[in-house]
Amino acid sequence: MNWVDFGVVDGEDFGVGRMSGAGQAVEQVGFGKMEKRRASSDSESETGCCNPVRKGGPVGMDHRGCSNSKPFQFFDSANLGYLDYAQIEGGLSALQIPPEYKYAKDLLKVCDSNSDGRVDYQEFRRYMDDKELELYRIFQAIDVKHNGCILPEELWDALLKAGIEIDDEELARFVENVDKDNNGIITFEEWRDFLLLYPHEATIENIYQYWGRVCLVDIGEQAVIPEGISKHVHASKYLLAGGVAGAASRTATAPLDRLKVVLQVQTTHARIVPAIKNIWKEGGLLGFFRGNGLNVVKVAPESAIKFYTYEMFKNVVRDAKGEAKDDIGAAGRLFAGGMAGAVAQTAIYPLDLVKTRLQTYTCEGGKVPYLKTLARNIWFQEGPQGFYRGLVPSVLGIIPYAGIDLAAYETLKDMSKTYLLHDSEPGPLVQLGSGTISGALGATCVYPLQVIRTRMQAQRTNTDASYNGMSDVFRRTLQHEGFRGFYKGLFPNLLKVVPSASITYLVYETMKKSLDLD
């Protein structure tokens, strides 16, 4: 089988030379060599060009009448006359394209123009023609010198403009994996052959991620994904999108958060309606948003710290296990996520404590203290350690919450695939619903620790009635209020879950589109 059957000429086989992973696999399953027309390109190279593309369009555009039957037959191994999901997945597996990236599902979706779950020959050919034209356009955009090939420096510039910084070694690997004749440049034929089965939009960022996923670096007995792919491209933009989404959701649910905190610190009967009346009496409508400014301010640093420390702990787990693959498993993700959460929580904890003090402050004449005054009083009256009261129960709740949330989420997602979606992949709404329920379950299970933390945060250490540590809070709460005391404020806390998750999701997706992250 050869790539002239895809409607292109002047190319070579899909995987030769130093290509590894998917490229070598194609060669193994029988993509034969094409007739090589090196004489003309060699003479062109001597004149300073590198196999320039003809003016009329991408190479092979005038050979669209060539047969696509052989590559179609490669996927249609059962000779059914059409391709379904199983056949496409089998073909991609033969090319050693990892199934976890779901390219088979996406390839079926983009080829199946009539949405009947099957791809016939005409649909397959139409996809290949359209994809070739798409690849030609981005090839021209990268080829800024217009000499018919992509030079390493041109590829590096294109990646940098997309927010992807790679070193010289990684750039050399990128070029090496695509450059089949090993001459240090990428012709359109090499570019096209490498990306023709990539089902998503061919942006430079997507192409970089695709390369990192399907091109394994040969290091002898093991193979690893290139290190650069673990770097989060456009990290600052993703943090901005997440920060705006978090700020929006926290502001929208601020009244419920204030009500929850007020109920948590009440050691007598805690009733919702009287608490609402007291908040309104103290500060009117703005009283429900007291402390929200600090809640919003801590979103960005907390997200940034959690993001980067998660990557750091993920590398620690990978090194400890002695594995080169990027997936560290559920237990590894739980550990890395829990540790990242603990580090982030510790770093921003003083802000959280000041927010709680502000929300539980009893106003005289409706006058709220300035943050500077409140922080200064804590420093001078309680010392630096006063900013970390309640940190232990806060950190203790992170791992069990993350574990319950993760286990419940995966269980709900699997149940939805089995009973609702009939083995198809869950969409955004199902994922959002599963995440909402699992988050509510996790929050409920660790809620007593949250109550203990809030009570320690709200009380000053220099008063006679102050708590002497976490165990003292637990003992006195159980003694005077019973087990119900550990769940005060749970109802408004659960009311927050659905709108908070929904607002975060919607704002995050909107920000991703506005920042060109989709």
Side-chain angles (χ1 to χ4, degrees), residues 255 258 262 274-291 358-359 361-369:
R258 173 85 201 279
V262 169
I276 293 175
K277 289 181 179 179
N278 287 336
I279 294 172
W280 179 270
K281 185 179 178 180
E282 282 187 353
L285 181 62
L286 290 178
F288 289 95
F289 292 88
R290 191 196 297 178
L358 188 63
Q359 288 181 324
Y361 189 87
T362 303
C363 299
E364 296 179 1
K367 188 177 181 180
V368 181

Side-chain angles (χ1 to χ4, degrees), residues 82-214:
Y82 63 84
L83 307 180
D84 57 16
Y85 173 79
Q87 290 171 296
I88 295 176
E89 185 177 45
L92 294 181
S93 296
L95 303 181
Q96 294 185 6
I97 295 179
E100 59 266 26
Y101 300 119
K102 300 180 176 61
Y103 289 141
K105 176 188 174 184
D106 296 332
L107 189 58
L108 174 64
K109 184 177 180 180
V110 296
C111 291
D112 184 17
S113 57
N114 60 4
S115 302
D116 63 350
R118 297 178 177 181
V119 178
D120 60 28
Y121 169 73
Q122 292 300 330
E123 290 174 321
F124 183 76
R125 175 178 174 177
R126 191 179 305 115
Y127 161 78
M128 304 304 278
D129 290 347
D130 292 343
K131 176 58 71 172
E132 182 184 355
L133 183 59
E134 178 189 13
L135 294 174
Y136 177 66
R137 286 170 178 161
I138 191 171
F139 180 88
Q140 285 186 311
I142 299 174
D143 179 22
V144 293
K145 295 184 179 179
H146 305 296
N147 55 7
C149 66
I150 295 177
L151 303 174
E153 56 266 28
E154 291 175 327
L155 181 60
W156 188 85
D157 286 338
L159 289 167
L160 191 62
K161 288 177 182 177
I164 305 169
E165 296 186 32
I166 61 176
D167 55 28
D168 292 341
E169 182 182 352
E170 189 175 358
L171 177 65
R173 289 201 301 265
F174 197 150
V175 174
E176 180 181 351
N177 287 136
V178 185
D179 174 27
K180 294 177 294 186
D181 59 2
N182 304 332
N183 64 352
I185 58 174
I186 300 173
T187 63
F188 174 70
E189 296 91 338
E190 294 167 336
W191 181 258
R192 175 205 60 217
D193 292 353
F194 180 71
L195 295 165
L196 207 49
L197 293 177
Y198 179 63
H200 302 300
E201 182 184 2
T203 64
I204 188 66
E205 178 181 315
N206 287 346
I207 291 170
Y208 172 75
Q209 292 175 338
Y210 176 71
W211 164 71
R213 288 170 171 175
V214 303

Side-chain angles (χ1 to χ4, degrees), residues 328-381:
I328 58 176
R333 289 195 301 271
L334 178 61
F335 171 78
M339 292 300 295
V343 172
Q345 182 76 279
T346 303
I348 57 92
Y349 195 79
L351 288 175
D352 198 48
L353 182 134
V354 174
K355 183 209 78 167
T356 301
R357 291 282 178 96
L358 188 63
Q359 288 181 324
T360 57
Y361 189 87
T362 303
C363 299
E364 296 179 1
K367 188 177 181 180
V368 181
Y370 290 108
L371 289 178
K372 182 179 179 181
T373 304
L374 200 60
R376 188 174 60 217
N377 289 341
I378 295 172
W379 179 271
F380 286 112
Q381 295 176 12

Side-chain angles (χ1 to χ4, degrees), residues 462-500:
N462 58 356
T463 60
D464 295 334
S466 63
Y467 295 111
N468 296 318
M470 186 175 72
S471 59
D472 188 39
V473 181
F474 180 83
R475 181 184 59 80
R476 288 163 65 174
T477 301
L478 184 62
Q479 181 180 355
H480 299 292
E481 304 167 59
F483 283 105
R484 294 182 62 181
F486 294 105
Y487 289 92
K488 287 182 176 179
L490 178 62
F491 182 66
N493 187 58
L494 293 179
L495 284 181
K496 282 193 337 178
V497 173
V498 174
S500 178

